[in-house]
């Protein structure tokens, strides 16, 4: 009987549990193999209690829950593991131990559910002889080789609801409301939500913005008789000739933490346009809670497809959504082309056509 490990790495995203459930059910009903859960991303392979037996009974009904029953770890990279040596914290390559552990456990392959960072670790383990199958996850929707990651649709719907709510209070108080949404390198959440909910200005990482231009946009809006405004800002947006804004510096293992750009834009607009502003940072509300029907539908199909690839020995591939179908692509190819908002694409064009300012 074949045996596969499944793990969820990086930040969580709504739909992770639906992937796990589908893989376990497909293993039981279709392929007659076993799936073992690995706790806390790759870390579970090095922890004493790092494995969780998974059965149809233990995954029953988990598809509607956010988060991941296996736990996730942002810093769990076996190629760069923080350990204490002689009272000092040092970073060590523990990938050899992980490879040995996978062999000891008799795992035929790992099903790795994650974004770019986690999938890159899977690719590196593959180069050390581990069989892997990738499943693309992130609310940012920025993994290459697929049109959609699960988690994005849920985050998008939460952001749209937030903008709708900000709209009514903006109107009541005649204020410019700013909403900072997630999106480190890609502005899909900001663009899609801003377009869907009627934002006046959308700032995304792919389009460095001009401070003077957005002030001009708000001034002309006020001059046109509109007394309120809605600005949606990706956390990763940055001004022309400026840097992204961080709330915390990075360290040996973690990227710097983004946050604060919307507040900087708000301060500038207050100063330049004599308007009252308020800033909301949507944060992890976008990542938590119940997945939408679309995300469950996609995640379930991804989980079943990943198990199919593993069970038929098609390793080194990532499941992918293209033109309404779940298919698969080489993992290496997906990682080579991270996805960004297409500035020539129809969503950006529609935004410009209907008068939304992108800050350029
Ligand atoms: O990768 C998705 C993401 O939501 C990014 O947009 C964001 O910068 C990051 O995760 C934050 O993750 P955490 O708070 O878990 O470090």
């Amino acid at each position: 009987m074949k045996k596969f490990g499944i793990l969820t790495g990086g930040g969580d995203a709504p739909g992770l549990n639906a992937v796990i459930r589908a893989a376990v059910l497909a293993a039981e009903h279709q392929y007659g193999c076993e799936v073992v859960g690995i706790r806390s991303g790759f870390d579970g392979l090095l922890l004493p209690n790092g494995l969780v037996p998974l059965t149809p009974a233990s995954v029953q009904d988990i598809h509607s829950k956010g988060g991941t029953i296996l736990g996730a770890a942002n810093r769990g990279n076996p190629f760069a593991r923080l350990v204490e040596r002689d009272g000092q914290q040092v970073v060590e390559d523990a990938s050899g131990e992980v490879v040995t552990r996978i062999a000891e456990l008799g795992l035929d392959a790992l099903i790795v559910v994650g974004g770019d960072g986690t999938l890159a670790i899977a690719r590196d383990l593959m180069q050390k002889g581990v069989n892997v199958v990738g499943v693309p996850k992130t609310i940012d929707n920025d993994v290459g080789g697929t049109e959609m990651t699960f988690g994005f649709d849920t985050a998008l719907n939460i952001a749209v609801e937030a903008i709708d709510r900000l709209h009514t209070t903006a109107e009541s108080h005649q204020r410019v409301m700013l909403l900072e949404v997630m999106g480190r390198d890609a502005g899909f959440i900001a663009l899609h939500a801003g377009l869907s909910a009627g934002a006046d200005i959308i700032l995304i990482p792919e389009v460095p913005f001009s401070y003077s231009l957005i002030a001009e946009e708000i001034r002309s809006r006020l001059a046109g008789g509109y007394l309120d405004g809605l600005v949606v800002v990706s956390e990763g947006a940055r001004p022309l000739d400026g840097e992204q804004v961080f709330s915390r510096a990075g360290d040996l293992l973690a990227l710097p933490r983004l946050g604060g750009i919307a507040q900087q834009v708000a301060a500038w607009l207050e100063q330049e346009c004599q308007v009252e502003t308020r800033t909301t940072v949507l944060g992890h509300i976008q990542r938590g809670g119940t997945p939408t029907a679309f995300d469950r539908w996609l995640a379930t199909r991804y989980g079943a497809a990943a198990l199919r690839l593993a069970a038929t020995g098609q390793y080194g591939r990532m499941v992918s959504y293209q033109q309404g179908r779940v298919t698969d692509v080489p993992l290496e190819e997906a990682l080579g082309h991270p996805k960004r908002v297409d500035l020539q694409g129809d969503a950006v064009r529609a935004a410009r056509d209907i008068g939304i300012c992108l800050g350029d």
Side-chain angles (χ1 to χ4, degrees):
M1 188 193 261
K2 282 190 175 170
K3 185 171 163 189
F4 305 115
I6 186 166
L7 65 87
T8 54
D12 65 352
L16 283 166
N17 285 328
V19 174
I20 297 166
R21 172 178 171 269
V24 171
L25 294 182
E28 168 80 11
H29 293 292
Q30 188 67 10
Y31 297 102
C33 42
E34 189 186 344
V35 179
V36 179
I38 298 162
R39 284 188 215 277
S40 308
F42 293 98
D43 281 357
L45 289 164
L46 298 172
L47 297 172
N49 296 316
L51 299 186
V52 190
L54 294 173
T55 62
S58 70
V59 298
Q60 196 181 356
D61 299 337
I62 64 169
H63 53 289
S64 57
K65 291 198 187 103
T68 161
I69 59 162
L70 296 176
N74 274 3
R75 294 167 173 238
N77 181 355
F79 290 87
R81 197 170 157 76
L82 197 61
V83 288
E84 205 164 299
R85 292 266 176 269
D86 307 325
Q88 300 267 26
Q89 299 235 301
V90 292
V91 176
E92 266 185 13
D93 181 353
S95 59
E97 257 179 85
V98 164
V99 174
T100 307
R101 180 88 174 119
I102 291 168
E104 282 168 3
L105 292 168
L107 298 178
D108 292 285
L110 285 185
I111 297 174
V112 177
V113 192
D116 274 344
T118 303
L119 293 173
I121 297 168
R123 185 256 334 266
D124 294 346
L125 285 175
M126 193 170 100
Q127 283 159 3
K128 296 192 110 182
V130 176
N131 295 324
V132 301
V133 170
V135 180
K137 161 248 55 161
T138 160
I139 67 162
D140 290 0
N141 200 28
D142 60 356
V143 177
T146 181
E147 289 169 16
M148 279 294 236
T149 53
F150 67 86
F152 171 66
D153 186 66
T154 306
L156 171 61
N157 278 283
I158 292 166
V160 166
E161 187 188 342
I163 302 169
D164 285 347
R165 289 176 184 278
L166 289 173
H167 198 178
T168 58
T169 170
E171 275 178 340
S172 309
H173 289 272
Q174 304 181 346
R175 287 171 174 158
V176 173
M177 292 295 202
L178 293 97
L179 179 70
E180 184 170 303
V181 295
M182 282 188 173
R184 175 171 282 276
D185 303 305
F188 291 104
I189 297 177
L191 179 66
H192 289 224
L195 200 51
S196 309
D200 304 302
I201 299 177
I202 302 174
L203 305 177
I204 60 175
E206 293 88 341
V207 183
F209 66 89
S210 150
Y211 267 115
S212 54
L213 211 136
I214 54 175
E216 185 50 44
E217 178 68 22
I218 294 294
R219 275 195 295 267
S220 74
R221 198 173 151 76
L222 297 174
Y226 296 98
L227 301 174
D228 60 287
L230 284 170
V231 184
V232 183
V233 188
S234 295
E235 60 179 0
R238 67 178 171 86
L240 281 164
D241 304 324
E243 300 298 323
Q244 289 182 316
V245 178
F246 298 103
S247 61
R248 203 189 119 134
D251 59 27
L252 281 176
L253 300 182
L255 292 169
R257 196 177 296 163
L258 285 162
I261 182 65
Q263 186 50 47
Q264 289 197 3
V265 172
W268 164 261
L269 293 177
E270 287 214 350
Q271 179 196 305
E272 292 296 307
C273 309
Q274 280 76 54
V275 281
E276 210 182 324
T277 66
R278 291 290 188 273
T279 303
T280 302
V281 178
L282 201 50
H284 294 79
I285 288 175
Q286 292 158 98
R287 277 204 344 219
T290 309
T292 57
F294 180 86
D295 277 339
R296 296 182 202 191
W297 180 81
L298 183 62
T300 299
R301 291 168 80 189
Y302 274 175
L307 202 285
R308 195 177 310 135
L309 287 175
T312 53
Q314 297 181 71
Y315 305 131
R317 302 193 70 79
M318 183 190 85
V319 298
S320 149
Y321 181 76
Q322 289 171 36
Q323 299 180 341
R325 291 182 55 241
V326 168
T327 171
D328 51 87
V329 295
L331 179 57
E332 187 74 59
E333 190 184 301
L335 287 167
H337 302 93
K339 190 147 59 77
R340 299 291 179 262
V341 168
D342 176 4
L343 300 183
Q344 265 65 54
D346 83 283
V348 166
R349 209 166 149 193
R352 295 194 193 282
D353 283 352
I354 66 171
I356 296 174
C357 170
L358 299 181
D360 61 339

